[in-house]
Amino acid sequence: MPPQGLMEDPLLYRMAFMAVFMPLAGFSVLALFGDAIKREGKADGAGLLACVTVLISFALSAGSVFRLYGLLADHEGLRFSQPYLGFEWIDVAGFRVPFNLLLDPLSAVMILVVTGVGSLIHIYSLGYMHEDEDRVRYFSYMNLFTFFMLLLVLGGSLPLMFVGWEGVGLCSYLLIGFWFKKKSASDAGNKAFIVNRVGDAGLILGMILAFHALGTLDLVDIASNIGAKPGEALGELGLLTTIALLLFVGACGKSAQIPLHIWLPDAMEGPTPVSALIHAATMVTAGVYLVARLAPLYERSATAMTVVAVVGAATALMAATIALVQTDIKRVLAYSTVSQLGYMFLACGVGAFGVAIFHLFTHAFFKALLFLGSGSVIHALGGEQDLRRMGGLRAKIPWTFGTFLVGTLAIAGIPFLSGFFSKDAILAAAYEGHRPVLFGVGLFTALLTAFYMSRLLFLAFFGSFRGGHEVEHHVHESPWSMLGPLVLLAAGSVGAGYIAIPQLVQPAFRLSVSHQAHPAWLPYLATLGALVGIAAAYYLYVLYTALPARIGASFAWLRRLFEAKWGFDDAFEWFARRVVVDASERVLWKRVDDGGIDAAVNGSGALVASLARSVRLVQTGLVRGYALVILGGAVALFAYLLWMPR
């Protein structure tokens, strides 16, 4: 008889627990002994320790995943009804939350991404951060982030997932503002932290309402209990829709969707490996993971699904247009990340949750490759990030160019590379879901993606060098501690698309999905769009380099709109200054604090002082007067006792 839950294989969860806590062990050592390590001049050893702990975590994750799929193959009826119970965590007045891990096909893919790509980024950091004096602190933060991210994706309940959710937010703040002496970095860290708190407010409210409606916050129980609830039609704002939308607010904050996307481009102030780990491959995908994990909930609300799809498509298109005019190499990739996350939410919104995870998986490889490749370019140019001061680098740093080319072609959706398969699946899902507008937006966004990524490639690696002779003289290829991860990620960018992720993770969603055949013409249309984008970029930025300025002048209003980031940053700036700051000053400070609280306190003091001034008049200082008063009091008391009725 097949087992009904994974508690019958404790070795599986022992490995999973060890995989989670290995990075925490590395952080603990570096945090406790970091100062001593720096004094001994062994900061490189700290980096090696951080890398080893994450590599061990990857090995344990891979072992647990192989064992999981072995169990699934041996027992076709295996269910995930009993996540491994580690220990009792919260048990208050009937509210019970154990510390449990849920390892199923969905979380299995996620932990491989977190530890696998994370290991390569840790190794890359050995070379990239070699000259930084605070690299011990850097590697301790990176280890801590990996721990919290693993806790997020393996947590068996919403509260436990929320611990990891807030933990990666904390680490994001610490790593974005790692160079805190630079004001722009400090401001970017604050911005990320504050914007994410807005999303977290929605997540907390959604959790509270979910417990009220379903009586549980356990992820497996939520998936089971939701089946007893009637579905809610489009336009119906029922209980399930409200829960789904509130949780989606949290997802929008963490995964940088409209209107809470404004923090991610500024987060490029952190070290480049941080951008690759946190803002490309792992943390920003947490919102997509949350929606996919709660697929049974979202599937019951047509309104929530539509909102997810529309917000995702709108974010994908908006971020792609902004990327067209960016001149900082990392900011182009930052807006590309926002756009690709929108693609993932578009897939979730049309019911293709497995396809969304598929694109998350492929995106982790080629976007980490592109970020680390940009770091190699910046390293070669001594810190230069402006594309206008690059050019002609393909002959000077050939390994960086070759791997960057693979990443660019993958994200553009060129056939036989990973991005082609996952993007094609998303477009097919939108088409099959009878969403022609969303399909059109997705297809046009794919064309824009190919264009702006090819623009970046041509500006950085083609033409003549525009950065000056002094910089050109010092251009050099990165060390193999940086190039090795680039080569491995390039291999992943080629091969990741051949893994049938949608079919592998589908059982975790507990949804019966009928897979239709994709239209035969769709791959050709998607490929044509990618080739048009690449050809247009080559025409404008290699053959006729004067044309972009002339086109920009002809469409100055559109260029200004894109450069202003569609006004979102200005709108938030206005809201922060006029509503938060000015309203706080005029209402909370002047009226409530000064006019209310302070007035009450000061008025009480003034009343007591006034009474004191009146009472002190009777204090004459004459003993005869005091004696007369005492005598009068005694006579009055005596008279009262005599004449008191009996």
Side-chain angles (χ1 to χ4, degrees), residues 69-81:
Y69 279 102
L71 287 171
L72 290 174
D74 294 339
H75 305 288
E76 187 176 347
L78 185 67
R79 294 189 294 119
F80 304 96
S81 57

Side-chain angles (χ1 to χ4, degrees), residues 475-488:
V475 173
H476 59 284
E477 186 63 277
S478 299
W480 273 100
S481 60
M482 296 170 62
L483 293 179
L486 292 182
V487 172
L488 292 175

Side-chain angles (χ1 to χ4, degrees), residues 376-465:
S376 185
V377 171
I378 295 167
H379 178 268
L381 298 177
E384 181 61 66
Q385 297 184 199
D386 194 331
L387 289 167
R388 295 168 296 186
R389 298 181 60 81
M390 299 181 188
L393 296 177
R394 70 183 188 276
K396 301 178 185 298
I397 47 176
W399 281 97
T400 299
F401 167 69
T403 54
F404 203 96
L405 175 63
V406 172
T408 301
L409 295 177
I411 194 174
I414 296 301
F416 311 117
L417 300 178
S418 61
F420 167 77
F421 297 102
S422 56
K423 278 193 175 183
D424 180 64
I426 293 174
L427 293 174
Y431 180 81
E432 292 165 4
H434 307 293
R435 303 289 184 92
V437 175
L438 298 179
F439 171 77
V441 170
L443 188 62
F444 183 61
T445 302
L447 188 153
L448 292 181
T449 302
F451 177 81
Y452 68 68
M453 285 305 305
S454 299
R455 168 182 175 267
L456 185 158
L457 182 76
F458 295 141
L459 286 175
F461 294 98
F462 285 72
S464 58
F465 188 73

